[in-house]
Each structure stands twice: as C-alpha cells, then as structure tokens.
Amino acid sequence: TRSQYKFQKETEQRESDMQISKASEAVGAIVENVDVTRLNDQEFADIRRAFLDHGTLFFRNQKLTPEDHIAFAKRWGAIDLNRFFKRRDGYPEIAEVLKEPDQQINIGGGWHTDHSYDEAPAMGSILYALEIPPSGGDTLFAGMAAAYEALDDGMKDRIKDLKARHGNAHVFGEESPYRKAVGDRYTNADQAGQTAVHPVVLAHPETGVKGLYVNPGFTLEIVDMEPAEGQALLQELYDHIMQDRFHHRHVWREGDLAIWDNRSTWHYAMNDYQGHRRYLNRITIEGVALA
C-alpha cells in the first residue's frame, strides 16, 4: 500500500542519513543525524557495532523523556539499578548526576571505570544532559585498548597474568571523605564494601580485544604483589594511560546523549564550573563476569 511504501522510504532515508565518525584515534565516535527513539533494527545494529569498535558514542540533539531514556537503555540489556546514586523521583532506573551552584564537589571528578568493584561489572553507562553550565563540565574519556597496544613488550609480558582487586568502600562507604563532601547525592552507605578481582589485562568479553582494566578510582591493589611494588606498577600504568593521545574530551550541550563501554574505557568529569548547575541522568546496563 501507499502508506507501507511511504514508511519503507522513510526508513531507508533514516538509514542513509545516519553518520558515524571517529571522535579521536584512541576512543569515541560521534553519531549524527539520528533520533535514538526511532532506531530501526539495522540502525541499532550499526550503533552497537560502533560502540564495540570505539568504546564511547556521542549523540547530539536528542529530546528524551525519562521513558525514552529507559526504553533506549533496555535495547542494550537489563538495567543495573545503581546502589549509591540518588535516583530520579518516579524513575528508579535513572541515577541523578547533579551539582548545584552552591556545591563544590562534583560526582565523577577523577579518572575511573563504573562498577569495576562488582563481580560482574556494568557493561555500559548511558548519560543524558539536561542542564549544562555556560562553560566547563566537560568529560574526558580514555581508550584502554589503545593504551594497552602502546605498551612496550616488556610491560605487556610483566602484566599479562596479573590480577587486581577493586573496591568501593573508600568512595561510597560511611567513612569516605568523598561521600561526606558529596552529601545526599549519594545514598546507601551501608551497602558499600564490595570487592572483586579482575585481570589487569582484560580480553573484552564481546570482542576479545585486549585492554587495560585497572583504574585510579576503584582499583585497590595488585593481587599477590608486595603493596609498594603493586602501587608503583599501578601508578606506572596510570601515568601511561593519562597521556593525551589516548583521550577524547567531550564538550557537553543540552540534549547530548553518551554511552560508554565500562570494559574498555575510563572517564573523568571536569569540575571547573563553580557557581553553575550541571544536571544529567544516567542509566547503567548490566554486564557479565570478567575472565
């Protein structure tokens, strides 16, 4: 029928309009000319492939209701209800990433990987920008596969069989100075204390690509290594990853949507917008145990 033909042509037009381009050599891609609330199966498959290839995707000019945000997240997998972030009223799936004008400390203001302290760390996080300061508040992303590939053979051999312990009490627990500074933007301090052991070099569970899987936010120690030696090794890896050549800096605009792969990236929310409000909504997607 004419209406079926019109729908088919509109679908084809949407497919041809969508463009995916690298944000940087090491991490990230920009997805343009697409509405994530109207993705057909082929578009979503292309986006998922780009996500695995680039680690982080950025979508501009989205207009999402909380229901839209949740529906998009569910296309990726089951939603992981975050234990520690304050949740949006009426939407337990959505965590609030908020800093008010009178607050000094932001959320995520240091290099980290979400949920690495869990036995089955979150697959990804989907962050939607609702209110952005006039300047500042960018997020840095780092690519763990590129950082691993750039290591010399001696370091690769040294770390190939190592494991690291990750934990969260120092961030989310009752005695955490950071929790006290963030205040009621964090919840459930009594539920903190999880630890998990993961490989230092992770073969990505979906692609098999090797990348580094330690981070300054939640990695506590190298297992079965003297503490001083382990901390020195971790710092050497961190210094390597913190080189600009492995990064992309995303300058947020209202309506931006980002999704990142927690198995292959770090991120860091800049805290350089004192006196202004910054409000984003985040949904986290469940992952699998890492081997």
Side-chain angles (χ1 to χ4, degrees):
T1 67
R2 182 180 298 274
S3 61
Q4 289 174 325
Y5 175 78
K6 183 173 184 290
F7 175 78
Q8 180 181 352
K9 296 308 290 182
E10 288 175 347
T11 300
E12 291 172 354
Q13 183 64 36
R14 289 205 307 276
E15 288 178 351
S16 64
D17 284 349
M18 188 174 75
Q19 296 179 347
I20 302 175
S21 57
K22 281 186 179 182
S24 74
E25 285 302 313
V27 65
I30 300 166
V31 186
E32 298 178 283
N33 303 326
V34 68
D35 177 350
V36 302
T37 69
R38 301 178 66 234
L39 295 172
N40 60 46
D41 290 344
Q42 184 58 56
E43 287 171 326
F44 184 75
D46 292 343
I47 285 169
R48 185 171 180 83
R49 181 68 253 172
F51 170 78
L52 294 173
D53 288 343
H54 301 287
T56 307
L57 300 179
F58 306 99
F59 304 81
R60 296 283 195 191
N61 303 315
Q62 302 301 304
K63 294 180 173 59
L64 304 185
T65 65
E67 290 81 6
D68 292 332
H69 193 177
I70 292 166
F72 180 63
K74 286 181 175 178
R75 296 191 74 167
W76 294 86
I79 291 174
D80 184 333
L81 297 180
N82 189 283
R83 301 185 290 279
F84 304 118
F85 281 47
K86 185 177 180 181
R87 297 176 182 177
R88 180 164 174 167
D89 287 345
Y91 300 97
E93 303 92 340
I94 298 176
E96 293 190 318
V97 179
L98 173 65
K99 184 185 173 202
E100 297 287 8
D102 62 340
Q103 294 171 330
Q104 298 301 307
I105 302 299
N106 69 336
I107 290 174
W111 285 113
H112 65 286
T113 299
D114 295 337
H115 290 239
S116 70
Y117 47 78
D118 285 334
E119 290 290 344
M123 178 276 282
S125 301
I126 306 176
L127 189 62
Y128 180 55
L130 292 163
E131 296 182 45
I132 297 301
S135 63
D138 303 346
T139 302
L140 302 178
F141 293 88
M144 296 300 102
Y148 172 77
E149 281 303 316
L151 292 172
D152 63 44
D153 290 343
M155 179 60 84
K156 287 181 180 177
D157 187 63
R158 182 183 178 192
I159 66 177
K160 64 181 180 181
D161 296 319
L162 295 179
K163 295 184 181 295
R165 190 180 320 279
H166 303 244
N168 63 20
H170 61 291
V171 176
F172 300 121
E174 293 278 8
E175 301 306 314
S176 165
Y178 184 63
R179 169 181 280 280
K180 293 174 182 177
V182 169
D184 64 2
R185 288 173 286 167
Y186 279 166
T187 61
N188 300 320
D190 60 318
Q191 295 184 30
Q194 291 82 18
T195 63
V197 174
H198 303 298
V200 171
V201 179
L202 175 66
H204 192 284
E206 295 187 65
T207 67
V209 174
K210 290 183 178 180
L212 293 169
Y213 194 73
V214 290
N215 69 89
F218 298 113
T219 303
L220 303 176
E221 62 179 355
I222 302 293
V223 176
D224 297 328
M225 186 175 284
E226 287 295 323
E229 182 185 0
Q231 291 303 315
L233 175 58
L234 286 171
Q235 191 60 55
E236 188 173 352
L237 293 173
Y238 297 159
D239 290 344
H240 172 73
I241 298 167
M242 287 178 189
Q243 296 177 78
D244 289 346
R245 60 181 168 139
F246 303 127
H247 302 168
H248 171 68
R249 183 177 187 131
H250 182 65
V251 181
W252 290 94
R253 299 195 299 240
E254 290 182 12
D256 280 2
L257 183 72
I259 176 169
W260 59 85
D261 189 335
N262 287 306
R263 291 86 49 97
S264 64
T265 65
W266 284 1
H267 58 284
Y268 180 166
M270 304 298 291
N271 187 29
D272 55 355
Y273 52 97
Q274 304 298 357
H276 296 283
R277 192 173 201 257
R278 183 179 185 270
Y279 178 48
L280 303 94
N281 281 180
R282 194 185 87 178
I283 299 179
T284 306
I285 309 301
E286 287 183 2
V288 298
L290 304 178

